[in-house]
Amino acid sequence: MEYAYSAGATLLAYLLGSLSFAVIVSRVLGLKDPRSFGSKNPGATNVLRSGSKVAAVATLLLDGLKGWLPVMLVKWFGGDYGLGDGTVATVGLAAFLGHLYPVFFQFKGGKGVATAAGVLLGVSWVLGLATLATWLIVAFFSRYSSLASLAAAVFAPMFYLLGDRAAWYVDKSIVIALIAISALLVYRHRENINKLLKGTESKLGASKQGGKKPG
């Protein structure tokens, strides 16, 4: 029966992850579909190019929430149904995959940075903050959001392993899930990697016209 509960939780996490909030928030606020301008990526950074900071912040928070919530629900209530770290790993990975390949949006999703951050914060707030700090440091000095995301992706599994017996006890299933998330993040940023190598990647704060003029 535990396997059925775990499978059900994983499926629900994937469905939650499949809610593309960049598209949903843009529609609610009457903005252009983020898949139609800029990088065409349905994420907070591209939503910001519409000129609406409110929409971008809402997208960022909701994308993070859909990664954090499934993990926390399993940690809060999973014990009553025999669910442990194995299910924490699968629901976190499922929510992330839902964002990348959303069933409600023709399996065309975003790059998953905010959702991955939500998953990490759910696994451990210390792990999440350490990874977010890595993103901020790299972004501050390089001014490249993509480079910061790549650095955070690489360091997240390392931080988890380094925290063994100090902040938590490492679970193999969570290690595998974090490595998978990190590998997928790098893969989804392959175009950004090419641009970074060519020196054509846009820096943070650089104007890149999308839907309408920033107000």
Side-chain angles (χ1 to χ4, degrees):
M1 197 63 181
E2 293 175 5
Y3 292 107
Y5 288 135
S6 182
T10 301
L11 176 59
L12 290 174
Y14 170 75
L15 294 176
L16 178 60
S18 291
L19 296 175
S20 184
F21 285 113
V23 179
I24 295 171
V25 169
S26 294
R27 286 178 182 174
V28 170
L29 296 181
L31 303 172
K32 290 184 66 176
D33 189 323
R35 297 169 297 180
S36 67
F37 61 84
S39 66
K40 294 183 171 56
N41 176 62
T45 300
N46 205 39
V47 170
L48 184 61
R49 294 187 177 111
S50 71
S52 175
K53 293 181 180 179
V54 171
V57 171
T59 299
L60 180 68
L61 293 177
L62 289 169
D63 278 350
L65 179 64
K66 71 184 184 184
W68 176 83
L69 186 59
V71 172
M72 292 307 301
L73 286 175
V74 172
K75 293 178 75 172
W76 286 335
F77 306 111
D80 295 335
Y81 301 92
L83 306 181
D85 286 339
T87 305
V88 167
T90 58
V91 297
L93 180 57
F96 179 74
L97 288 172
H99 180 82
L100 267 57
Y101 308 104
V103 66
F104 305 125
F105 295 87
Q106 297 80 47
F107 301 99
K108 296 178 181 178
K111 295 176 181 177
V113 175
T115 303
V119 172
L120 294 174
L121 286 167
V123 171
S124 168
W125 66 268
V126 176
L127 175 63
L129 289 182
T131 307
L132 287 172
T134 300
W135 189 97
L136 288 170
I137 291 169
V138 176
F140 178 80
F141 286 104
S142 72
R143 309 305 299 172
Y144 288 115
S145 175
S146 57
L147 182 61
S149 298
L150 289 166
V154 170
F155 276 97
M158 296 172 58
F159 288 149
Y160 182 69
L161 291 171
L162 288 172
D164 188 28
R165 302 179 187 279
W168 48 72
Y169 286 95
V170 164
D171 179 83
K172 290 182 180 178
S173 58
I174 292 180
V175 172
I176 293 171
L178 293 182
I179 291 174
I181 289 173
S182 296
L184 285 166
L185 277 170
V186 172
Y187 173 74
R188 296 290 281 195
H189 281 80
R190 60 193 184 281
E191 291 183 7
N192 302 92
I193 294 172
N194 288 331
K195 290 180 180 179
L196 285 167
L197 293 174
K198 294 177 181 178
T200 58
E201 179 71 328
S202 298
K203 290 191 174 185
L204 288 167
S207 60
K208 192 169 184 179
Q209 194 68 10
K212 61 180 182 180
K213 292 182 179 180

